[in-house]
Amino acid sequence: MDRFLKTVLFSSILVSVFVSSCAQNCSVSNNIFTSCNTLPVLNSYLYWNYHQANHTADIAYRQTGVTSSQWVAWALNVGGSGMVGAQCLVAFTNSSGLVRAYTTPVNGYGPSMAAGALSFNVPRISAELNNGEMVIFATLQLPTGSTSFNQVWQVGPVSGDTPQEHAQASANKESTGTVDFASGSTTSSSGGGGVGSRQRKKNVHGVLNVVSWGILVPIGAMTARYLKVFKSADPAWFYVHVACQCSAYIVGVAGWATGLKLGSESPIVYDTHRNIGITLFCLGTLQVFALLLRPKKDHKFRFYWNLYHWSVGYAVIILSIVNIFEGFDILDPEKKWKRAYIGVLIFLGATAVLLEAFTWFVVIKRKKSDTEKYPDVATRNGVNGHGGASAVNAYGGTRPRQEI
Ligand SMILES: *[C@@H]1O[C@H](CO)[C@@H](O)[C@H](O)[C@H]1NC(C)=O
Ligand SMILES: *[C@@H]1O[C@H](CO)[C@@H](O)[C@H](O)[C@H]1NC(C)=O
Ligand SMILES: *[C@@H]1O[C@H](CO)[C@@H](O)[C@H](O)[C@H]1NC(C)=O
């Protein structure tokens, strides 16, 4: 059993390392960004860090399969959508063999593509072309009042240091969509876009934690409390309980690790959510380690160990639920997810109430019949009665129990 627990601890550490390293790697040319997205057409990718304090975005636009006789452009269209009104960042290899990057506003069809200032400030722009990969780096002083914009990107031929008209293939026409620098999501006109990397990480974090701390842990506690009452479930309840809580712990630690990563990248600090999360991780780890240290069933300290195990366990359940609702407020998912979780809680709560009543019914009934059959045993067990669970244990006093 103890070897099994050590394996659990070890594997949960591995899982958390795995999850945090698998969290999407938004790195391009040795620059690491907090968000990135694969754009649906033209082999393009957008990376960015959004700074809420000064409403700026450091971005990198990457396009693969680009030759030295092609230009690439990425633009925000602040007032409209598509090409007309696009505030472009352009890059191409010029006749000096150097990659030139500059800004140009597109005011109509057949634009000159000559350098010019955009409707918002671009304090920094540069580009590089390596192995057919063009990357434009820029800092954008985003227009005030929004973090979500229409975006458009393009590629075309260059002739004599001047970008020429792009092809009219379907990909060249579908290369528009929206980008939300704060939430990390993008959408595309061709319908391919979707949830951004940051949003995806948040969703993974939410699902892992709701499933582990919010659902598996309470179920694990219920198996311990309510399965015990069935004679045939002893000691199976113990293994079900351990399996449930250990899998909850493994998934929970993975969820916790994604949370730490999200927190370290977040421009906003969510103190309460973070601190409750760290407390939960400590208490959860304590519970798993405590299993290794639990005194034998008839040891005089076992009673105190039980008290400790139950109180920490219930604290974990309460804190988990509180923190999940904190998380719902931060993540602000569609209402249906919060409602679904409330539904799960009501179901678990109602089940617990029914099983609690049933447990007491069984225990009292057994006590009665025990008093009739073995008056002295029942009296002895009556002394250490503290709550339903030990009343259930009291039944075990009438026959040998397997040591677990
Ligand atoms: C991202 O991936 C690249 C190579 O795929 C690697 O060199 C880099 O260290 C990774 N960065 C992070 C933050 O994991
Ligand atoms: C915006 O703020 C971030 C940090 O909050 C800073 O790193 C960056 O240089 C600032 N950008 C500009 C253009 O002031
Ligand atoms: C090519 O681009 C570089 C870098 O922007 C610039 O210094 C150089 O003058 C450009 N050459 C021509 C011929 O435009």
Side-chain angles (χ1 to χ4, degrees):
M1 198 63 209
D2 285 357
R3 178 186 293 177
F4 168 69
L5 290 170
K6 278 172 194 149
T7 315
V8 164
L9 278 175
F10 183 67
S11 50
S12 61
I13 291 165
L14 279 188
V15 167
S16 64
V17 168
F18 177 75
V19 166
S20 40
S21 64
C22 276
Q24 196 171 348
N25 178 344
C26 290
S27 92
V28 56
S29 288
N30 300 322
N31 290 271
I32 293 172
F33 293 87
T34 55
S35 299
C36 51
N37 254 281
T38 303
L39 302 179
V41 291
L42 300 177
N43 311 317
S44 302
Y45 309 83
L46 186 68
Y47 304 76
W48 71 91
N49 294 326
Y50 170 63
H51 305 294
Q52 198 183 35
N54 49 21
H55 199 48
T56 61
D58 298 319
I59 68 120
Y61 170 76
R62 176 164 77 102
Q63 187 165 341
T64 60
V66 175
T67 69
S68 59
S69 57
Q70 280 182 312
W71 58 268
V72 306
W74 174 86
L76 290 183
N77 193 331
V78 180
S81 63
M83 175 174 161
V84 177
Q87 305 296 307
C88 298
L89 314 179
V90 187
F92 63 87
T93 311
N94 68 15
S95 54
S96 323
L98 297 168
V99 176
R100 180 173 173 226
Y102 63 96
T103 61
T104 178
V106 171
N107 296 319
Y109 291 102
S112 71
M113 299 292 276
L118 303 185
S119 66
F120 51 86
N121 199 16
V122 179
R124 179 186 68 101
I125 181 169
S126 65
E128 55 189 46
L129 178 65
N130 291 313
N131 305 320
E133 272 196 18
M134 181 73 92
V135 186
I136 303 178
F137 295 98
T139 297
L140 314 179
Q141 178 62 61
L142 296 174
T144 49
S146 182
T147 57
S148 178
F149 301 95
N150 288 323
Q151 64 172 339
V152 46
W153 60 102
Q154 202 50 269
V155 60
V158 174
S159 165
D161 281 328
T162 311
Q164 307 293 307
E165 194 185 335
H166 62 81
Q168 297 294 336
S170 60
N172 301 83
K173 292 177 182 168
E174 286 169 2
S175 54
T176 68
T178 66
V179 53
D180 188 329
F181 290 105
S183 79
S185 67
T186 58
T187 63
S188 74
S189 57
S190 54
V195 187
S197 58
R198 192 167 168 75
Q199 192 62 35
R200 190 159 44 231
K201 279 189 219 168
K202 285 183 175 176
N203 292 349
V204 166
H205 169 72
V207 170
L208 289 179
N209 285 306
V210 167
V211 168
S212 58
W213 301 100
I215 297 176
L216 283 177
V217 167
I219 290 178
M222 284 164 68
T223 57
R225 187 163 172 82
Y226 303 121
L227 277 186
K228 263 185 210 172
V229 79
F230 300 104
K231 280 184 236 175
S232 53
D234 189 9
W237 70 265
F238 176 77
Y239 295 102
V240 175
H241 176 62
V242 169
C244 201
Q245 302 307 49
C246 285
S247 40
Y249 182 72
I250 293 174
V251 178
V253 168
W256 182 75
T258 59
L260 283 192
K261 191 158 164 56
L262 277 172
S264 70
E265 294 168 353
S266 168
I268 310 165
V269 183
Y270 301 102
D271 273 331
T272 317
H273 187 65
R274 181 173 177 277
N275 293 341
I276 298 181
I278 291 173
T279 310
L280 276 174
F281 170 76
C282 296
L283 294 181
T285 307
L286 201 62
Q287 287 290 72
V288 176
F289 273 108
L291 271 187
L292 296 171
L293 300 176
R294 76 194 182 287
K296 291 234 180 301
K297 204 151 195 82
D298 41 13
H299 194 282
K300 61 181 173 180
F301 289 146
R302 179 60 179 241
F303 169 70
Y304 299 102
W305 185 90
N306 282 350
L307 269 191
Y308 142 81
H309 187 66
W310 295 332
S311 47
V312 172
Y314 286 122
V316 165
I317 292 175
I318 293 166
L319 282 178
S320 298
I321 293 172
V322 168
N323 219 25
I324 283 169
F325 282 100
E326 284 279 326
F328 275 127
D329 289 343
I330 296 168
L331 189 54
D332 199 20
E334 286 177 61
K335 292 268 178 296
K336 62 178 178 187
W337 296 114
K338 193 168 173 175
R339 286 202 205 113
Y341 183 60
I342 292 175
V344 169
L345 283 185
I346 291 174
F347 174 75
L348 290 178
T351 312
V353 167
L354 284 179
L355 290 173
E356 187 73 41
F358 178 71
T359 303
W360 280 101
F361 171 75
V362 171
V363 167
I364 290 168
K365 210 172 135 196
R366 276 186 195 157
K367 262 199 160 172
K368 256 194 197 150
S369 65
D370 281 359
T371 322
E372 283 154 19
K373 281 188 225 152
Y374 319 98
D376 50 322
V377 172
T379 322
R380 196 173 68 236
N381 285 329
V383 177
N384 72 353
H386 49 85
S390 66
V392 176
N393 281 343
Y395 176 73
T398 60
R399 66 196 167 90
R401 283 167 69 102
Q402 186 176 337
E403 181 49 49
I404 41 181

